[in-house]
Amino acid sequence: MTQKALAEAVGISRQTMNAIEQGEFNPTIRLCRAICRVLGKSLDDLFGAEDKDNGENGGMIMYCASCRMVFDEDTRCPVCGSKKVREAMPDDICFLTEAAPIPGGMLKDILDQNDISVLASSSIGAAMAMRAGTMFERIRYYVRFDDLEKAKEIAADLSL
Ligand SMILES: [Zn+2]
């Protein structure tokens, strides 16, 4: 089937069809369905399935930079509700877990041994920790998105 014939069959211009093929124009769902109907293909055959191997659910892993949280494909952050989310990148710093200083220190040691660089930040200020005693201090640990999966397994082994 020629581009022109297909364009005519679904009621769009040949230029539009060309732009869709070049990836310069995202067709509407309605148009996608029309094209599929004409070609006798499913939506997945034509438009989906490209990144089926990325992640278990086939969806993107998204990242909220203000919370440093990753979550499954969604248009807003489940923690702060921000819509300023984007696809997670390997170098994004992601929240791993929060722990008291002692198990947290063990976690950090094991991560270090696995060549996973970890950032730690106290969830209460240093002055507050001094007043309340370090036993109440909680440390938040962050790792690169690339290392998150492995780091989570290590944290789970320590029941963190
Ligand atoms: Zn957020």
Side-chain angles (χ1 to χ4, degrees), residues 115-135:
D115 291 323
I116 296 175
S117 42
V118 53
L119 276 176
S121 93
S122 177
S123 64
I124 53 175
M128 181 71 187
M130 243 152 50
R131 222 174 308 145
T134 48
M135 64 179 293

Side-chain angles (χ1 to χ4, degrees), residues 64 66-67 77 79-82:
C64 171
S66 45
C67 302
C77 170
V79 180
C80 69
S82 168

Side-chain angles (χ1 to χ4, degrees), residues 7-125:
E8 274 168 11
V10 297
I12 58 173
S13 70
R14 198 189 57 78
Q15 285 83 352
T16 304
M17 183 58 72
N18 191 45
I20 293 170
E21 283 182 5
Q22 302 297 316
E24 288 160 5
F25 174 74
N26 276 327
T28 61
I29 289 287
R30 187 199 293 257
L31 183 52
C32 290
R33 287 190 196 286
I35 294 169
C36 290
R37 210 163 36 235
V38 171
L39 295 178
K41 302 263 190 191
S42 76
L43 274 174
D44 254 11
D45 287 341
L46 286 184
F47 301 101
E50 264 178 31
D51 17 35
K52 233 175 195 165
D53 295 336
N54 297 353
E56 289 157 339
N57 55 9
M60 278 192 293
I61 305 292
M62 305 300 289
Y63 179 71
C64 171
S66 45
C67 302
R68 300 187 186 282
M69 287 296 291
V70 289
F71 43 93
D72 285 340
E73 187 164 16
D74 205 336
T75 52
R76 55 169 71 219
C77 170
V79 180
C80 69
S82 168
K83 283 187 170 174
K84 287 186 188 165
V85 298
R86 57 171 171 78
E87 196 176 352
M89 304 294 195
D91 282 326
D92 285 336
I93 303 300
C94 303
F95 176 72
L96 172 63
T97 189
E98 187 180 274
I102 289 171
M106 283 169 52
L107 173 67
K108 189 175 184 309
D109 285 346
I110 298 173
L111 291 172
D112 283 345
Q113 285 160 22
N114 284 273
D115 291 323
I116 296 175
S117 42
V118 53
L119 276 176
S121 93
S122 177
S123 64
I124 53 175

